[in-house]
C-alpha cells in the first residue's frame, strides 16, 4: 500500500551528476544518494554476494539491480526519477532481505525498513527551521481491554508548557497499515509541519495524539476483513480519557477530531460513524470517502476533509466532496499533485488540513 511510483516522462534522459547523500542517511554515510532530477543511486559493499537488488526504482516491476565492480562493491541508479518525498526500501542480497547500512530505518511494511528522501520542490513547509518548536513526547497509558499498557506519542504546540491555563483541541491522527505510532513524526514530520504553520500564524494551535492502530496483525490483502472494535475500545474508552486527564485539552466533541492515512483513514471512517458523539471533525487521507447516506442519521460533523494523490483516485475524492457539499456538509477535498500512495501526499494533506481543522477565523 506504500508504492513508490516512478516518472518516466522525460524528454531528456541524461542523468545529471549532481548526486548528494540522502537526508535520511546514517551519520557520515555517503550512500544512498539523490540528484536534482529525483534519481536515486545506491552503493553496497558485499564482495561475496552473487546478486544485489534494491526494491525501489522500476515502479514495482523488480526494483533496481546493482552491478558489482572488481572490488566487490555494488552500485546502481534507478531507471527513472522517483516521486518527491519519502520512500521505504530494502535490499535483496542473494535472496535474503536486508536493510541498507547507509540509510536510517523507519517502521513500515510491518518491519523496520530503510528510508530515502527525494527532495521536493515544496519541502520548505516541513523543513526544520529556526522557529519555536513544540514537543513530541511518549506516553504509556493503561489499557484494561488489552491487559497491558499501550504507547502513544503526543505533540503539544510551542508555548504549551508556559501557558499553564490555556486548553487545546485535539486531533487523533492514525498511521497506515504496516506502520506504527512513530510514522507521523518520523516519516511525516507532523510536528515540523505544525511548528512552521503556527510560526506563520496560519494555524490555531492544537494537540496531536498518535497511537498504534492495531492493524498489522492483518495480512496484506485481508484488510477488508479488519474489525475495528478492539481498537475503537482502546481509542475511545482508554486513550481519550487518559489524554483528557493528563493534558490541557478542551475535552468535548466540538474540539476533538480524528484523521488517518490509508488504513488509518479506514479506521477513522468506521470509528467516526460509530462514535459521532466523540468527534466533530473527520479527515481521510488516501483512506476512502464518506457519503451522505451513511451520515444522514448521525450527528452532523463540523468538517469533513478528504484527500489523495493525483496518481491515486483524485476524481473519486473530488466527486465525493461535491456530493457532500450538495447535501449540506462542510466538506473539503485536496489532491496532491504528482504523488501516489506515499508520505508526500500525506504531508501535504496535513499541511492543508491543519489551518482549517479548528479554525476560529
Amino acid at each position: 500500500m506504500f508504492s513508490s511510483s516512478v516518472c518516466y516522462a522525460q524528454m531528456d534522459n541524461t542523468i545529471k551528476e549532481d548526486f548528494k547523500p540522502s537526508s535520511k542517511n546514517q551519520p557520515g554515510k555517503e550512500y544512498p544518494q539523490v540528484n536534482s532530477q529525483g534519481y536515486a543511486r545506491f552503493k553496497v559493499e558485499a564482495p561475496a554476494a552473487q546478486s544485489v537488488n534494491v526494491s525501489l526504482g522500476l515502479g514495482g516491476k523488480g526494483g533496481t539491480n546493482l552491478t558489482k565492480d572488481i572490488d566487490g562493491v555494488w552500485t546502481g541508479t534507478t531507471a527513472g526519477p522517483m516521486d518527491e518525498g519519502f520512500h521505504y526500501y530494502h535490499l535483496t542480497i542473494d535472496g535474503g532481505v536486508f536493510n541498507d547500512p547507509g540509510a536510517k530505518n523507519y517502521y513500515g511494511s510491518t518491519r523496520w525498513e530503510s528510508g530515502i528522501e527525494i527532495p521536493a520542490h515544496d519541502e520548505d513547509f516541513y523543513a526544520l527551521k529556526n522557529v519555536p518548536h513544540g514537543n513530541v513526547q511518549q506516553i504509556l497509558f493503561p489499557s484494561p481491554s488489552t491487559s497491558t499498557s499501550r504507547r502513544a506519542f503526543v505533540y503539544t504546540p510551542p508555548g504549551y508548557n508556559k501557558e499553564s491555563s490555556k486548553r487545546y483541541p485535539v486531533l487523533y491522527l492514525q498511521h497506515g497499515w504496516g506502520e506504527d505510532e512513530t510514522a507521523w513524526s518520523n516519516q511525516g514530520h507532523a510536528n515540523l509541519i505544525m511548528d512552521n504553520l503556527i510560526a506563520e500564524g496560519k494555524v490555531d494551535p492544537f494537540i496531536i495524539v498518535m497511537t498504534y492502530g492495531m492493524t498489522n496483525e492483518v495480512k496484506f490483502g485481508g484488510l477488508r476483513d479488519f474489525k475495528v472494535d478492539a481498537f475503537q475500545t482502546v481509542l475511545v474508552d482508554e486513550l481519550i480519557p487518559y489524554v483528557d486527564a493528563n493534558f490541557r485539552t478542551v475535552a468535548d466533541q466540538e474540539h476533538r477530531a480524528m484523521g488517518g492515512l490509508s488504513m488509518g483513514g479506514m479506521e477513522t471512517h468506521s470509528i467516526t460513524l460509530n462514535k459521532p458523539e466523540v468527534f466533530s471533525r473527520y479527515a481521510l487521507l488516501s483512506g476512502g470517502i464518506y457519503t451522505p447516506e451513511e451520515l444522514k442519521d448521525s450527528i452532523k460533523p463540523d468538517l469533513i476533509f478528504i484527500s489523495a494523490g493525483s496518481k491515486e483516485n483524485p476524481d473519486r475524492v473530488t466527486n465525493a466532496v461535491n456530493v457532500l457539499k450538495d447535501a449540506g456538509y462542510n466538506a473539503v477535498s485536496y489532491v496532491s499533485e504528482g504523488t501516489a500512495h506515499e508520505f508526500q501526499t500525506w504531508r501535504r494533506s496535513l499541511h492543508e488540513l491543519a489551518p482549517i481543522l479548528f479554525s476560529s477565523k
Side-chain angles (χ1 to χ4, degrees):
M1 295 186 73
F2 301 97
S3 63
S4 301
S5 301
V6 178
C7 173
Y8 293 102
Q10 278 200 322
M11 297 300 292
D12 183 3
N13 292 323
T14 303
I15 300 176
K16 293 182 179 179
E17 292 298 326
D18 55 357
F19 285 87
K20 296 179 180 179
S22 164
S23 62
K24 296 292 188 282
N25 282 7
Q26 301 263 11
K29 298 295 184 180
E30 290 296 311
Y31 286 86
Q33 296 187 345
V34 295
N35 76 352
S36 60
Q37 298 164 298
Y39 285 82
R41 179 168 290 172
F42 305 92
K43 179 180 287 188
V44 178
E45 295 184 18
Q50 299 302 306
S51 67
V52 178
N53 175 273
V54 180
S55 59
L56 290 181
L58 292 175
K61 298 179 181 178
T64 299
N65 291 319
L66 306 190
T67 302
K68 183 165 65 171
D69 66 16
I70 59 173
D71 296 319
V73 177
W74 297 78
T75 58
T77 304
T78 55
M82 305 296 299
D83 286 355
E84 295 179 342
F86 174 86
H87 300 279
Y88 302 104
Y89 75 97
H90 58 260
L91 308 177
T92 300
I93 302 178
D94 292 348
V97 175
F98 304 92
N99 286 354
D100 187 338
K104 293 179 182 177
N105 298 328
Y106 299 83
Y107 196 80
S109 305
T110 69
R111 65 183 296 273
W112 289 95
E113 289 263 80
S114 300
I116 191 169
E117 186 78 23
I118 306 300
H121 73 281
D122 58 347
E123 63 187 8
D124 184 70
F125 76 85
Y126 53 87
L128 177 61
K129 300 180 183 179
N130 184 20
V131 299
H133 292 291
N135 182 47
V136 178
Q137 62 182 290
Q138 174 181 286
I139 61 170
L140 299 173
F141 63 96
S143 173
S145 70
T146 58
S147 302
T148 186
S149 290
R150 306 191 70 87
R151 183 173 74 162
F153 287 93
V154 180
Y155 167 83
T156 51
Y160 176 86
N161 293 326
K162 295 181 179 179
E163 302 171 18
S164 58
S165 62
K166 184 174 181 178
R167 292 187 171 272
Y168 297 84
V170 185
L171 167 62
Y172 288 83
L173 186 61
Q174 289 306 121
H175 58 84
W177 179 84
E179 298 172 338
D180 67 6
E181 61 272 26
T182 63
W184 266 110
S185 297
N186 291 350
Q187 292 94 291
H189 301 313
N191 55 317
L192 298 181
I193 292 171
M194 288 294 296
D195 291 345
N196 293 337
L197 284 170
I198 292 169
E200 294 167 6
K202 295 180 178 179
V203 165
D204 293 332
F206 55 86
I207 293 168
I208 300 178
V209 179
M210 300 154 281
T211 197
Y212 175 52
M214 301 170 66
T215 58
N216 295 349
E217 289 75 15
V218 181
K219 297 297 183 182
F220 187 76
L223 299 181
R224 293 184 183 277
D225 300 323
F226 175 72
K227 304 299 183 184
V228 79
D229 307 65
F231 177 60
Q232 180 174 291
T233 297
V234 169
L235 178 69
V236 174
D237 299 335
E238 298 169 349
L239 177 56
I240 289 177
Y242 182 90
V243 170
D244 286 342
N246 290 277
F247 293 85
R248 295 196 315 276
T249 67
V250 184
D252 60 24
Q253 182 252 15
E254 182 182 355
H255 296 88
R256 192 180 294 126
M258 185 175 182
L261 68 87
S262 191
M263 186 69 185
M266 294 173 64
E267 290 183 314
T268 297
H269 179 268
S270 296
I271 292 174
T272 53
L273 292 178
N274 293 340
K275 296 287 185 177
E277 73 279 8
V278 178
F279 304 98
S280 64
R281 292 157 170 83
Y282 314 160
L284 308 182
L285 318 182
S286 305
I289 62 171
Y290 290 98
T291 66
E293 290 73 21
E294 60 193 0
L295 293 164
K296 65 181 180 179
D297 296 324
S298 184
I299 300 171
K300 191 173 186 178
D302 293 331
L303 174 68
I304 297 174
F305 179 92
I306 307 177
S307 72
S310 67
K311 297 182 180 182
E312 294 188 277
N313 49 7
D315 291 342
R316 183 170 184 248
V317 166
T318 54
N319 292 339
V321 165
N322 288 336
V323 171
L324 288 168
K325 287 180 177 178
D326 290 342
Y329 291 92
N330 178 25
V332 176
S333 64
Y334 170 70
V335 174
S336 169
E337 187 59 39
T339 58
H341 203 74
E342 55 202 10
F343 254 105
Q344 197 67 6
T345 295
W346 307 321
R347 290 168 175 172
R348 290 172 177 169
S349 296
L350 179 60
H351 183 254
E352 295 295 318
L353 169 66
I356 62 174
L357 187 58
F358 296 108
S359 177
S360 60
K361 299 175 183 178

